[in-house]
Amino acid sequence: MEINILTDQEAATLREVVAASSHILILGHKSPDGDAIGACLAWQQYLISLGKQPRIIVPDAYPDFLQWLPCSETILRYDKHPDEVKKLFSEADLVFCLDFNVSSRVEELQPLLDDFKGHKIMIDHHLDPQLADASLVISRPEASSTCELIFRVVWQLGAFDAMPRKFAVADYCGMMTDTGGFTYNSSDPAIYFIISQLLTKGIDKDKIYRNVFNNYSTWAIRLRGYLLSRKLNYVDDLHACFYSVSRDEMKRYHFTKGDLEGLVNEPLRIKGTKLSISLRQDTEKENLVYCSLRSVDDFPANKVAEDFFHGGGHLNAAGGKLFCSIDEAEKIARKAINAYSDLLK
Ligand SMILES: [Mn+2]
């Protein structure tokens, strides 16, 4: 089984740039998910093993269900500490961009990243990487997660034996969350070799699962139940559905970040479902709706996201945004489903 993914040239560049750098930043994307946070924390351990003192920076909050991760308290939020982050950027000589493919994915941090004159190295699994002036782009869209890539790189560089348990916890967490607990995009045998290696570090994978997936508040469970029970619009003959959640509804259920994570996958459990669309109003802006799409088999959720939701993504997992009311967004979702009726039937 092939674990190594870097060419000799790439491995050499990575080693050289890291060795020559003394102020290293690790950057995750806006609204960081388990893979982004896991990759940042795991990569931090790798760099620490080389004697570096990297800092992790993310644009904003990450969900409650990741806050138990070892060393997560070292993650610096730009929205809370803008001056400290600007100072770190001004001193840095190397920035790692993990789990995102374009600088716009760090949103308010984009100017700092774009203007950064030191080395930039991207490690990511999204399609179409675009990073101007990057010293190295390790882009593998076929990988299940960035955490899978982090493992492969660390393994190839011969550093895995030296990795502590917390490397394995963070890395496993990211691989697990990006595959829905190894229920999609997870048939590559190498994934299970990697897990077997991570387990040798003494991680409790069942506990990691519970920490992440069984961590809801009572309000969150009630909100999820309410949406499935009262808000799901299922188009029977097209095996497709959508639901929306408004600001007022989120307020009523004391919504906090992460409460609706993954809910868009739930309707796929209805027999025969091919497409599920979630529409979530922004908690502040009236005319901003976040859209999330999930599909199965070869139905292209990313095409629907491109055509109707100003977005894109993977074949079976895509997202986008609408700049309209939540009612208007529902109409657009219905229109999108009808437009794809030939493929959905
Ligand atoms: Mn990812």
Side-chain angles (χ1 to χ4, degrees), residues 89-211:
F89 262 91
S90 71
E91 295 164 351
D93 36 27
L94 167 60
V95 173
F96 281 99
C97 300
L98 303 188
D99 198 40
F100 64 92
N101 56 350
V102 290
S103 63
S104 60
R105 285 289 285 121
V106 293
E107 299 204 7
E108 46 273 57
L109 270 168
Q110 185 182 357
L112 284 174
L113 180 57
D114 286 347
D115 294 344
F116 179 68
K117 294 286 174 264
H119 289 285
K120 298 175 192 173
I121 296 182
M122 176 181 277
I123 305 178
D124 180 47
H125 69 130
H126 295 90
L127 292 167
D128 303 323
Q130 295 160 37
L131 188 65
D133 326 319
S135 304
L136 179 62
V137 172
I138 302 168
S139 167
R140 301 292 186 276
E142 66 278 12
S144 65
S145 59
T146 299
C147 279
E148 177 190 327
L149 296 176
I150 295 292
F151 175 91
R152 288 173 180 270
V153 171
V154 168
W155 181 269
Q156 182 168 356
L157 298 178
F160 181 69
D161 283 349
M163 288 301 105
R165 185 175 169 277
K166 51 194 167 190
F167 168 90
V169 170
D171 205 62
Y172 182 84
C173 181
M175 289 180 67
M176 180 188 78
T177 50
D178 252 25
T179 57
F182 306 101
T183 61
Y184 48 78
N185 203 13
S186 55
S187 291
D188 177 356
I191 290 173
Y192 302 92
F193 170 78
I194 294 172
I195 294 172
S196 74
Q197 292 303 313
L198 294 174
L199 287 168
T200 67
K201 300 289 182 182
I203 65 171
D204 182 343
K205 75 173 194 60
D206 305 339
K207 182 128 197 259
I208 294 172
Y209 183 94
R210 288 199 303 276
N211 283 347

